[in-house]
Amino acid sequence: MKFNVNQQDLQKSLNYCQGVIEKRSTLPILSNVLLDVGNSKLTITATDLDLIFVHQISNVEIIEEGKTTTSSSIMYDIVRKFSSGKKINFSKVGENKLHLESEKSVFNLNCINPSEFPLTNEDFNENEFSIKSKELLKLLNKCKFSVSNDETRHYLSGIYFHLTQLEDKYFFTAAATDSHRMSISKLRLNEKIEFEPIILPKKTIFQLCSLLEDFEGDVKISNIKSKIKFELGNSILISKLIDGKFPNYVQVIPKDNQKKMEVDLKTFLDSVDRVASVSLDKKDGVKFSLSKDVLNLSVNNATSGDGKESLNVKFDHELDVSFNSRYLIDIASQLEGDKIEMFFKDTGSPALIKDPADFDSIYVVMPMKG
Protein backbone atom coordinates (compact mmCIF):
# COMPACT_ATOMS: atom_id res chain seq x y z
CA MET A 1 0.00 0.00 0.00
CA LYS A 2 1.16 3.50 -0.76
CA PHE A 3 -0.72 6.81 -0.44
CA ASN A 4 -0.49 10.50 0.45
CA VAL A 5 -2.92 12.34 2.71
CA ASN A 6 -3.36 15.85 4.12
CA GLN A 7 -2.12 16.25 7.72
CA GLN A 8 -5.27 18.07 8.94
CA ASP A 9 -7.68 15.49 7.50
CA LEU A 10 -5.78 12.66 9.14
CA GLN A 11 -5.35 14.42 12.48
CA LYS A 12 -9.08 15.11 12.72
CA SER A 13 -9.93 11.51 11.97
CA LEU A 14 -7.39 10.08 14.45
CA ASN A 15 -8.58 12.52 17.09
CA TYR A 16 -12.05 10.93 16.94
CA CYS A 17 -10.45 7.46 17.06
CA GLN A 18 -8.71 8.38 20.32
CA GLY A 19 -12.12 8.75 21.98
CA VAL A 20 -13.12 5.20 20.98
CA ILE A 21 -9.95 3.25 21.69
CA GLU A 22 -9.48 1.97 25.23
CA LYS A 23 -6.25 3.18 26.80
CA ARG A 24 -5.66 -0.06 28.70
CA SER A 25 -6.74 -2.70 26.24
CA THR A 26 -5.67 -6.29 26.88
CA LEU A 27 -5.81 -7.07 23.16
CA PRO A 28 -3.02 -5.26 21.27
CA ILE A 29 -5.10 -5.14 18.07
CA LEU A 30 -7.72 -2.98 19.85
CA SER A 31 -5.09 -0.27 20.41
CA ASN A 32 -4.66 -0.10 16.64
CA VAL A 33 -6.61 1.62 13.90
CA LEU A 34 -7.36 -0.15 10.64
CA LEU A 35 -6.18 1.81 7.60
CA ASP A 36 -7.79 0.66 4.37
CA VAL A 37 -6.81 2.38 1.13
CA GLY A 38 -9.02 1.59 -1.83
CA ASN A 39 -11.92 2.82 -4.00
CA SER A 40 -10.16 6.21 -4.14
CA LYS A 41 -10.49 6.82 -0.40
CA LEU A 42 -8.79 6.10 2.92
CA THR A 43 -11.06 4.39 5.44
CA ILE A 44 -9.98 4.51 9.09
CA THR A 45 -11.66 2.23 11.64
CA ALA A 46 -11.32 2.13 15.44
CA THR A 47 -13.17 -0.10 17.90
CA ASP A 48 -13.28 -1.17 21.55
CA LEU A 49 -15.68 -4.02 20.60
CA ASP A 50 -18.68 -2.09 22.00
CA LEU A 51 -18.24 0.93 19.79
CA ILE A 52 -17.07 1.07 16.17
CA PHE A 53 -16.02 4.30 14.50
CA VAL A 54 -15.45 4.45 10.74
CA HIS A 55 -14.24 7.58 8.97
CA GLN A 56 -13.57 8.09 5.28
CA ILE A 57 -11.13 10.58 3.78
CA SER A 58 -11.64 11.08 0.06
CA ASN A 59 -8.98 13.79 -0.34
CA VAL A 60 -6.23 11.20 -0.72
CA GLU A 61 -3.75 10.30 -3.45
CA ILE A 62 -3.52 6.53 -3.84
CA ILE A 63 -0.49 4.99 -5.51
CA GLU A 64 -1.11 1.43 -4.33
CA GLU A 65 -4.17 0.01 -2.54
CA GLY A 66 -3.90 -2.10 0.59
CA LYS A 67 -4.60 -2.23 4.30
CA THR A 68 -2.82 -2.49 7.62
CA THR A 69 -3.22 -1.64 11.32
CA THR A 70 -0.96 0.42 13.56
CA SER A 71 -1.06 2.04 17.00
CA SER A 72 -3.70 4.75 17.07
CA SER A 73 -2.19 6.83 19.88
CA ILE A 74 1.38 6.77 18.53
CA MET A 75 0.31 7.67 15.01
CA TYR A 76 -1.99 10.40 16.33
CA ASP A 77 0.82 11.83 18.44
CA ILE A 78 3.15 11.94 15.44
CA VAL A 79 0.59 13.30 12.98
CA ARG A 80 -0.52 16.15 15.23
CA LYS A 81 3.11 17.26 15.60
CA PHE A 82 3.66 17.47 11.85
CA SER A 83 3.22 20.90 10.23
CA SER A 84 -0.45 21.69 9.81
CA GLY A 85 -1.95 20.98 6.39
CA LYS A 86 1.20 19.42 4.91
CA LYS A 87 1.21 16.23 2.88
CA ILE A 88 2.07 12.97 4.66
CA ASN A 89 3.39 10.07 2.55
CA PHE A 90 2.57 6.56 3.71
CA SER A 91 3.96 3.27 2.43
CA LYS A 92 4.05 -0.24 3.80
CA VAL A 93 7.50 -1.76 4.24
CA GLY A 94 7.43 -5.55 4.34
CA GLU A 95 4.69 -7.25 6.35
CA ASN A 96 4.82 -5.35 9.61
CA LYS A 97 6.16 -1.84 9.15
CA LEU A 98 4.32 1.32 8.10
CA HIS A 99 6.61 4.03 6.77
CA LEU A 100 5.46 7.64 7.00
CA GLU A 101 7.23 10.85 6.15
CA SER A 102 6.39 14.52 6.03
CA GLU A 103 8.88 17.31 5.25
CA LYS A 104 12.07 16.18 7.01
CA SER A 105 10.52 13.62 9.39
CA VAL A 106 10.59 9.88 8.79
CA PHE A 107 8.93 7.22 10.95
CA ASN A 108 8.54 3.46 10.73
CA LEU A 109 5.71 2.14 12.87
CA ASN A 110 5.03 -1.47 13.83
CA CYS A 111 1.92 -3.05 12.35
CA ILE A 112 -0.36 -5.95 13.20
CA ASN A 113 -1.95 -7.97 10.38
CA PRO A 114 -5.34 -6.47 9.44
CA SER A 115 -6.93 -9.94 9.42
CA GLU A 116 -6.82 -9.81 13.25
CA PHE A 117 -8.91 -6.61 13.34
CA PRO A 118 -12.44 -7.35 14.59
CA LEU A 119 -15.06 -6.18 12.08
CA THR A 120 -18.74 -6.96 12.25
CA ASN A 121 -21.03 -6.72 9.32
CA GLU A 122 -24.64 -6.25 10.20
CA ASP A 123 -27.56 -5.11 8.17
CA PHE A 124 -28.93 -1.88 9.58
CA ASN A 125 -31.16 -1.02 6.67
CA GLU A 126 -34.47 -1.25 8.45
CA ASN A 127 -36.14 1.59 10.35
CA GLU A 128 -33.84 4.34 9.21
CA PHE A 129 -34.73 7.96 9.94
CA SER A 130 -32.92 11.31 9.89
CA ILE A 131 -32.44 14.11 12.42
CA LYS A 132 -30.61 17.41 11.99
CA SER A 133 -27.19 17.22 13.61
CA LYS A 134 -27.62 20.27 15.85
CA GLU A 135 -31.03 19.06 17.09
CA LEU A 136 -29.59 15.70 18.09
CA LEU A 137 -26.64 17.46 19.75
CA LYS A 138 -29.07 19.62 21.73
CA LEU A 139 -30.92 16.52 23.02
CA LEU A 140 -27.64 14.91 24.09
CA ASN A 141 -26.31 18.07 25.77
CA LYS A 142 -29.50 18.64 27.73
CA CYS A 143 -29.45 15.10 29.13
CA LYS A 144 -25.87 13.87 29.33
CA PHE A 145 -24.98 15.54 32.65
CA SER A 146 -27.82 13.65 34.39
CA VAL A 147 -26.47 10.24 33.37
CA SER A 148 -25.57 8.08 36.38
CA ASN A 149 -22.01 7.04 37.27
CA ASP A 150 -23.31 4.21 39.47
CA GLU A 151 -21.96 0.95 38.04
CA THR A 152 -24.45 -1.17 39.97
CA ARG A 153 -27.44 0.28 38.17
CA HIS A 154 -26.10 -0.01 34.64
CA TYR A 155 -29.49 0.82 33.09
CA LEU A 156 -29.11 4.42 34.38
CA SER A 157 -25.63 4.89 32.89
CA GLY A 158 -26.93 6.14 29.55
CA ILE A 159 -29.61 8.25 27.89
CA TYR A 160 -32.98 6.64 27.26
CA PHE A 161 -34.25 7.41 23.75
CA HIS A 162 -37.81 6.56 22.77
CA LEU A 163 -40.81 7.84 20.85
CA THR A 164 -43.56 9.74 22.61
CA GLN A 165 -46.84 11.01 21.29
CA LEU A 166 -48.92 13.99 22.33
CA GLU A 167 -52.25 14.19 20.53
CA ASP A 168 -51.25 13.84 16.86
CA LYS A 169 -47.65 14.98 17.35
CA TYR A 170 -44.71 12.59 17.53
CA PHE A 171 -41.50 13.26 19.44
CA PHE A 172 -38.05 11.72 19.63
CA THR A 173 -37.59 11.92 23.39
CA ALA A 174 -34.48 11.63 25.57
CA ALA A 175 -34.37 11.11 29.34
CA ALA A 176 -31.52 10.59 31.80
CA THR A 177 -31.36 10.35 35.58
CA ASP A 178 -28.89 9.46 38.33
CA SER A 179 -31.82 9.35 40.82
CA HIS A 180 -30.80 12.75 42.30
CA ARG A 181 -31.69 14.72 39.20
CA MET A 182 -33.35 14.10 35.88
CA SER A 183 -33.32 15.68 32.41
CA ILE A 184 -35.99 15.20 29.77
CA SER A 185 -35.84 16.76 26.35
CA LYS A 186 -37.76 16.05 23.19
CA LEU A 187 -37.66 16.80 19.50
CA ARG A 188 -40.73 17.14 17.31
CA LEU A 189 -40.74 14.75 14.34
CA ASN A 190 -42.35 15.50 10.99
CA GLU A 191 -43.85 12.03 10.83
CA LYS A 192 -44.24 8.87 12.84
CA ILE A 193 -41.17 6.62 12.69
CA GLU A 194 -40.45 3.06 13.71
CA PHE A 195 -38.05 3.16 16.64
CA GLU A 196 -37.58 0.68 19.47
CA PRO A 197 -36.67 2.32 22.82
CA ILE A 198 -32.94 2.17 23.57
CA ILE A 199 -30.45 3.17 26.26
CA LEU A 200 -27.38 4.79 24.68
CA PRO A 201 -24.15 4.25 26.70
CA LYS A 202 -22.22 7.18 28.14
CA LYS A 203 -19.07 6.65 26.09
CA THR A 204 -21.12 6.65 22.86
CA ILE A 205 -22.87 9.86 23.93
CA PHE A 206 -19.61 11.75 24.37
CA GLN A 207 -18.15 10.38 21.15
CA LEU A 208 -21.31 11.30 19.25
CA CYS A 209 -21.28 14.83 20.73
CA SER A 210 -17.74 15.47 19.49
CA LEU A 211 -18.71 14.29 15.99
CA LEU A 212 -21.92 16.35 15.95
CA GLU A 213 -20.13 19.53 16.99
CA ASP A 214 -18.10 19.41 13.77
CA PHE A 215 -20.92 18.35 11.47
CA GLU A 216 -23.72 20.26 9.78
CA GLY A 217 -26.41 18.25 8.07
CA ASP A 218 -28.67 15.27 8.61
CA VAL A 219 -27.73 12.33 10.79
CA LYS A 220 -29.13 8.99 9.65
CA ILE A 221 -30.10 6.73 12.54
CA SER A 222 -31.00 3.06 12.34
CA ASN A 223 -31.15 0.43 15.05
CA ILE A 224 -31.39 -3.32 15.29
CA LYS A 225 -32.01 -5.29 18.49
CA SER A 226 -28.81 -4.61 20.40
CA LYS A 227 -27.02 -1.96 18.32
CA ILE A 228 -27.54 1.49 16.85
CA LYS A 229 -25.88 3.16 13.91
CA PHE A 230 -25.35 6.88 13.31
CA GLU A 231 -24.24 8.11 9.89
CA LEU A 232 -22.90 11.66 9.65
CA GLY A 233 -21.40 12.54 6.30
CA ASN A 234 -18.06 10.72 6.10
CA SER A 235 -18.34 9.16 9.56
CA ILE A 236 -20.22 6.16 10.92
CA LEU A 237 -20.60 5.31 14.58
CA ILE A 238 -22.02 1.92 15.56
CA SER A 239 -22.66 1.22 19.22
CA LYS A 240 -23.88 -1.58 21.39
CA LEU A 241 -26.79 -0.58 23.60
CA ILE A 242 -27.25 -0.92 27.34
CA ASP A 243 -29.24 -4.02 28.10
CA GLY A 244 -31.78 -3.18 30.78
CA LYS A 245 -35.06 -1.51 31.52
CA PHE A 246 -35.12 2.24 32.08
CA PRO A 247 -37.43 3.22 34.98
CA ASN A 248 -40.79 4.86 34.39
CA TYR A 249 -39.45 8.38 34.63
CA VAL A 250 -42.80 10.08 33.95
CA GLN A 251 -43.96 9.04 37.44
CA VAL A 252 -41.15 11.07 38.96
CA ILE A 253 -42.10 14.38 37.31
CA PRO A 254 -43.73 16.50 40.06
CA LYS A 255 -47.41 17.11 39.30
CA ASP A 256 -48.43 19.58 42.00
CA ASN A 257 -45.54 21.98 42.45
CA GLN A 258 -47.53 25.19 42.68
CA LYS A 259 -44.92 27.55 44.17
CA LYS A 260 -43.22 29.19 41.23
CA MET A 261 -40.00 31.18 41.39
CA GLU A 262 -38.79 33.13 38.37
CA VAL A 263 -35.37 34.75 38.22
CA ASP A 264 -32.90 36.10 35.67
CA LEU A 265 -30.88 33.10 34.48
CA LYS A 266 -27.42 34.63 34.35
CA THR A 267 -27.81 36.34 37.74
CA PHE A 268 -28.96 33.05 39.28
CA LEU A 269 -26.19 30.99 37.68
CA ASP A 270 -23.47 33.45 38.73
CA SER A 271 -24.82 33.68 42.28
CA VAL A 272 -25.02 29.95 42.87
CA ASP A 273 -21.55 29.53 41.40
CA ARG A 274 -20.09 32.28 43.63
CA VAL A 275 -21.71 31.11 46.85
CA ALA A 276 -20.66 27.51 46.17
CA SER A 277 -17.00 28.58 45.91
CA VAL A 278 -16.66 28.32 49.69
CA SER A 279 -17.33 24.60 49.50
CA LEU A 280 -14.32 22.70 48.19
CA ASP A 281 -15.97 19.44 47.21
CA LYS A 282 -19.30 21.03 46.17
CA LYS A 283 -21.04 18.44 48.36
CA ASP A 284 -22.41 21.11 50.70
CA GLY A 285 -25.90 22.11 49.76
CA VAL A 286 -26.76 25.60 48.64
CA LYS A 287 -29.53 26.63 51.00
CA PHE A 288 -32.45 28.55 49.50
CA SER A 289 -34.33 30.79 51.91
CA LEU A 290 -37.26 32.09 49.91
CA SER A 291 -39.69 34.76 50.97
CA LYS A 292 -41.75 37.22 48.94
CA ASP A 293 -39.67 38.21 45.89
CA VAL A 294 -36.36 37.49 47.65
CA LEU A 295 -34.04 34.49 47.41
CA ASN A 296 -31.28 34.23 50.00
CA LEU A 297 -28.58 31.77 49.01
CA SER A 298 -26.10 30.42 51.54
CA VAL A 299 -23.44 27.74 51.81
CA ASN A 300 -21.89 26.70 55.07
CA ASN A 301 -18.79 24.53 55.18
CA ALA A 302 -17.37 23.33 58.49
CA THR A 303 -13.74 23.55 57.39
CA SER A 304 -13.62 26.50 55.01
CA GLY A 305 -16.32 28.96 56.10
CA ASP A 306 -19.56 30.25 54.70
CA GLY A 307 -20.94 32.51 51.98
CA LYS A 308 -24.26 34.13 51.27
CA GLU A 309 -25.93 36.25 48.65
CA SER A 310 -29.39 37.62 48.05
CA LEU A 311 -31.31 37.89 44.77
CA ASN A 312 -34.47 39.58 43.60
CA VAL A 313 -36.89 36.99 42.27
CA LYS A 314 -40.58 36.62 41.55
CA PHE A 315 -42.02 34.48 44.35
CA ASP A 316 -45.13 34.63 46.50
CA HIS A 317 -44.51 32.14 49.30
CA GLU A 318 -42.06 31.22 52.05
CA LEU A 319 -39.82 28.18 51.72
CA ASP A 320 -36.47 26.81 52.89
CA VAL A 321 -34.84 24.09 50.77
CA SER A 322 -31.29 22.95 49.92
CA PHE A 323 -29.80 21.68 46.65
CA ASN A 324 -26.49 20.36 45.39
CA SER A 325 -24.94 23.41 43.69
CA ARG A 326 -23.34 21.32 40.93
CA TYR A 327 -26.77 20.04 39.84
CA LEU A 328 -28.21 23.54 39.62
CA ILE A 329 -25.21 24.83 37.67
CA ASP A 330 -25.32 21.88 35.23
CA ILE A 331 -28.99 22.50 34.48
CA ALA A 332 -28.84 26.30 34.36
CA SER A 333 -25.90 26.12 31.94
CA GLN A 334 -28.10 24.30 29.42
CA LEU A 335 -31.02 26.75 29.43
CA GLU A 336 -31.49 28.87 26.33
CA GLY A 337 -33.54 31.88 27.44
CA ASP A 338 -32.73 34.70 29.85
CA LYS A 339 -34.93 33.38 32.69
CA ILE A 340 -35.13 30.23 34.78
CA GLU A 341 -38.34 28.96 36.39
CA MET A 342 -38.33 26.70 39.45
CA PHE A 343 -41.47 25.09 40.83
CA PHE A 344 -41.55 23.90 44.44
CA LYS A 345 -43.96 21.95 46.61
CA ASP A 346 -42.22 21.83 50.01
CA THR A 347 -38.81 21.41 51.67
CA GLY A 348 -38.53 17.67 51.09
CA SER A 349 -40.01 17.34 47.61
CA PRO A 350 -38.25 17.43 44.25
CA ALA A 351 -38.21 20.75 42.39
CA LEU A 352 -39.21 21.11 38.76
CA ILE A 353 -37.07 23.40 36.58
CA LYS A 354 -38.27 24.81 33.28
CA ASP A 355 -36.77 26.95 30.55
CA PRO A 356 -39.32 29.52 29.33
CA ALA A 357 -37.42 29.59 26.02
CA ASP A 358 -37.63 25.82 25.48
CA PHE A 359 -40.93 24.09 26.23
CA ASP A 360 -39.50 20.76 25.10
CA SER A 361 -37.08 20.35 28.02
CA ILE A 362 -37.71 19.94 31.75
CA TYR A 363 -35.50 19.06 34.71
CA VAL A 364 -36.17 17.60 38.14
CA VAL A 365 -33.83 18.02 41.12
CA MET A 366 -34.08 16.28 44.47
CA PRO A 367 -33.46 18.51 47.49
CA MET A 368 -30.68 17.73 49.95
CA LYS A 369 -31.50 16.68 53.46
CA GLY A 370 -30.37 18.78 56.33
Side-chain angles (χ1 to χ4, degrees):
M1 68 187 279
K2 196 170 185 181
F3 64 96
N4 307 325
V5 65
N6 178 295
Q7 182 272 345
Q8 278 169 319
D9 293 343
L10 187 58
Q11 180 178 334
K12 193 171 180 182
S13 181
L14 292 171
N15 184 26
Y16 293 137
C17 293
Q18 289 305 96
V20 173
I21 283 168
E22 283 297 325
K23 303 293 172 275
R24 298 174 298 279
S25 178
T26 46
L27 290 169
I29 191 73
L30 292 182
S31 303
N32 283 15
V33 281
L34 174 65
L35 304 172
D36 188 344
V37 192
N39 299 331
S40 59
K41 54 183 179 282
L42 163 63
T43 305
I44 300 177
T45 308
T47 184
D48 66 355
L49 297 181
D50 290 335
L51 194 56
I52 303 169
F53 171 68
V54 185
H55 189 244
Q56 289 184 341
I57 299 174
S58 46
N59 176 22
V60 56
E61 183 192 349
I62 300 173
I63 298 124
E64 188 188 323
E65 296 191 344
K67 53 172 116 171
T68 189
T69 81
T70 192
S71 163
S72 177
S73 56
I74 291 173
M75 183 157 72
Y76 174 61
D77 207 25
I78 292 168
V79 167
R80 72 190 179 87
K81 291 170 184 171
F82 281 156
S83 303
S84 179
K86 291 285 189 224
K87 198 161 77 164
I88 307 176
N89 305 315
F90 282 83
S91 54
K92 202 167 157 201
V93 185
E95 268 311 290
N96 55 2
K97 281 273 189 282
L98 181 65
H99 177 86
L100 58 152
E101 55 183 85
S102 184
E103 298 180 293
K104 295 191 168 71
S105 314
V106 178
F107 291 89
N108 290 294
L109 303 183
N110 289 350
C111 301
I112 299 179
N113 193 307
S115 63
E116 288 189 37
F117 196 85
L119 278 179
T120 53
N121 244 346
E122 269 149 297
D123 187 19
F124 275 92
N125 289 342
E126 36 193 320
N127 304 343
E128 186 178 276
F129 67 101
S130 290
I131 283 186
K132 289 193 172 59
S133 61
K134 293 302 177 259
E135 292 185 340
L136 179 57
L137 181 60
K138 179 179 137 175
L139 278 188
L140 294 166
N141 281 338
K142 284 180 185 274
C143 292
K144 69 183 181 190
F145 59 83
S146 292
V147 169
S148 170
N149 292 318
D150 181 357
E151 296 300 319
T152 57
R153 296 191 294 176
H154 67 285
Y155 53 87
L156 294 183
S157 58
I159 296 179
Y160 177 57
F161 281 101
H162 55 301
L163 287 186
T164 54
Q165 186 179 356
L166 187 64
E167 289 145 9
D168 57 348
K169 301 185 189 77
Y170 294 97
F171 297 90
F172 189 55
T173 302
T177 180
D178 60 6
S179 70
H180 301 292
R181 53 176 162 175
M182 179 166 75
S183 305
I184 305 156
S185 191
K186 62 186 196 287
L187 180 63
R188 170 97 187 262
L189 295 165
N190 300 328
E191 55 188 10
K192 187 181 180 187
I193 56 170
E194 290 298 319
F195 185 80
E196 292 295 314
I198 60 151
I199 305 174
L200 195 65
K202 184 185 292 178
K203 183 172 174 179
T204 309
I205 294 163
F206 285 91
Q207 190 61 24
L208 191 52
C209 285
S210 70
L211 287 168
L212 290 167
E213 271 161 19
D214 297 339
F215 177 71
E216 293 286 343
D218 284 354
V219 181
K220 282 201 255 179
I221 303 175
S222 46
N223 67 330
I224 48 177
K225 268 274 179 283
S226 60
K227 288 189 180 160
I228 189 162
K229 175 179 174 185
F230 300 91
E231 288 180 69
L232 321 75
N234 301 325
S235 301
I236 294 175
L237 195 63
I238 298 172
S239 171
K240 282 189 182 165
L241 299 167
I242 291 175
D243 184 22
K245 191 164 168 31
F246 198 80
N248 181 354
Y249 68 91
V250 181
Q251 287 177 332
V252 187
I253 303 170
K255 302 285 184 286
D256 47 0
N257 285 23
Q258 303 297 340
K259 300 172 183 172
K260 174 183 172 182
M261 176 190 88
E262 186 183 71
V263 57
D264 179 80
L265 175 63
K266 187 167 183 342
T267 312
F268 175 77
L269 187 53
D270 291 348
S271 275
V272 172
D273 199 15
R274 268 195 301 270
V275 172
S277 309
V278 77
S279 154
L280 294 168
D281 56 4
K282 303 283 179 271
K283 291 277 192 296
D284 301 298
V286 170
K287 189 176 179 201
F288 282 32
S289 275
L290 279 156
S291 50
K292 182 162 173 56
D293 295 341
V294 176
L295 164 60
N296 287 309
L297 297 170
S298 58
V299 173
N300 198 334
N301 180 286
T303 50
S304 56
D306 60 75
K308 49 179 173 290
E309 201 162 308
S310 126
L311 290 179
N312 295 331
V313 299
K314 275 191 192 166
F315 193 70
D316 252 348
H317 311 268
E318 294 208 352
L319 180 71
D320 286 346
V321 60
S322 294
F323 295 103
N324 178 315
S325 62
R326 183 77 260 149
Y327 297 170
L328 297 176
I329 291 167
D330 283 345
I331 292 171
S333 305
Q334 283 302 324
L335 303 196
E336 293 169 25
D338 46 13
K339 294 263 191 286
I340 179 171
E341 293 176 346
M342 293 185 75
F343 298 82
F344 306 97
K345 184 181 174 190
D346 53 41
T347 302
S349 302
L352 182 64
I353 299 179
K354 290 187 180 177
D355 179 354
D358 175 19
F359 293 123
D360 289 328
S361 303
I362 58 171
Y363 309 87
V364 180
V365 189
M366 296 297 290
M368 287 176 77
K369 293 175 177 58

